[in-house]
Amino acid sequence: MKKLYSQMSMAELEQEMKSLREELDRAEFPSQRSVIERKYYTAQAYTLDPSDFPPGMYKVEHVQLPFILSYVNGIMAWGTIGEEPDASFPISMLTRL
């Protein structure tokens, strides 16, 4: 049985991300790519420090509207995007504006 990302060491996470990148290259359908990409961002989020993401405005990967981060809970950033009051994304998808 596979470990949870939260139980993996940094080396295991790096190996998982490498494996997911290879899987992404072989994906044939957009829905497949989407699922693998989300797994990649989730694994990558566990390699980051949540305290490096203070509240404020961010760009989210593959999203046009700015994201206003309210708080971080674990690896998930919570805030608002457009008219959506409760949006969340893995912190690895965020870039500070």
Side-chain angles (χ1 to χ4, degrees):
M1 186 173 194
K2 212 169 183 182
K3 280 183 176 179
L4 298 174
Y5 292 152
S6 61
Q7 297 170 334
M8 290 183 180
S9 68
M10 193 63 72
E12 290 171 319
L13 286 166
E14 293 291 339
Q15 181 58 42
E16 177 70 8
M17 289 188 305
K18 181 181 180 213
S19 172
L20 289 168
R21 279 191 300 269
E22 291 167 359
E23 207 175 319
L24 197 54
D25 291 340
R26 293 188 307 268
E28 296 179 29
F29 303 104
S31 59
Q32 253 183 322
R33 291 185 60 78
S34 215
V35 169
I36 296 165
E37 194 173 70
R38 190 55 71 138
K39 285 181 180 181
Y40 179 84
Y41 282 123
T42 302
Q44 186 182 35
Y46 279 101
T47 68
L48 302 173
D49 183 359
S51 66
D52 290 340
F53 296 86
M57 195 167 296
Y58 291 82
K59 163 83 177 101
V60 178
E61 217 46 56
H62 309 297
V63 177
Q64 297 300 319
L65 297 171
F67 175 66
I68 301 169
L69 173 64
S70 300
Y71 66 96
V72 174
N73 185 0
I75 62 155
M76 297 301 291
W78 290 85
T80 57
I81 192 162
E83 298 296 315
E84 193 174 333
D86 291 325
S88 68
F89 299 94
I91 57 176
S92 55
M93 293 182 76
L94 304 181
T95 304
R96 185 88 174 167
L97 291 178

